[in-house]
Amino acid sequence: MAPSILAADFAALGREVERATEAGSDYMHIDVMDGVFVNNITMGPGVVKSIRPYSRLPFIAHLMITHPERHVKAFSDAGSDIIEVHLEAEQEDVGETLKAIRDHGRKAALAVNPPTPIDRAFPYMRDIDLLLVMSVNPGWGGQSFMPEVLPKIAAAKAEMAAQGSSVPVEIDGGINASTGALAAKAGADILAAGSYVFKAEDMRAAIESLRRAGESKD
């Protein structure tokens, strides 16, 4: 379970991260948008650093930005444990960006947008520690889940097996108990959810319902 702080109360962000941690989360998902790769602008490494003391959970910095290679060190130094970069983002070289993340002692993740064929990620399967399949077009929270992306998960896992590798697959966008169950049955290992968790009357109950949805893959 990876609550996305994009849906949190930014006036009390540290407490929101603490609350999500206490409610049983496994990761903290941090959506970073630059107003270039996507239209929205959210936060930078300073925010990651400011909330780091509020949780010991692994921080996933999801960089929806152009030229992510220029910012790897900053997000690493701020306390990100996993740094996700988009296959589609303008950058010098995807493989070199992933290598830079690992060279900084962090886990490297590759994100793939809904319109992008999953086979474009296949050359990097041995270079990543996590694969993110987007189930909405990135840029804004609260969008509707796109079930047509689900076959990408099985295709990616089949390719991993063929290459002798295996890493978790995260899915992000429109995730709730119902769509989370669909994603889990399709093979997703990590569910990133924003509004469903942070806007819930009972955050712990929301996270537990996502966990049950995740267990439905079995």
Side-chain angles (χ1 to χ4, degrees), residues 1-4 16-28 57 175-177 180 191-215:
M1 302 305 110
S4 170
E16 289 279 77
V17 168
E18 194 172 52
R19 189 165 68 99
T21 301
E22 293 169 351
S25 304
D26 301 299
Y27 301 86
M28 209 60 58
L57 293 179
I175 297 296
N176 54 39
L191 306 178
S195 299
Y196 185 74
V197 171
F198 282 103
K199 305 302 183 187
E201 289 188 12
D202 186 333
M203 182 182 284
R204 181 175 291 276
I207 290 174
E208 288 176 354
S209 71
L210 285 172
R211 194 174 300 284
R212 289 193 298 270
E215 290 169 353

Side-chain angles (χ1 to χ4, degrees), residues 113-132:
N113 283 341
T116 303
I118 193 62
D119 58 6
R120 283 190 54 198
F122 289 176
Y124 308 104
M125 289 301 188
R126 289 178 171 274
D127 303 323
I128 60 176
D129 302 289
L130 185 149
L131 177 69
L132 170 61

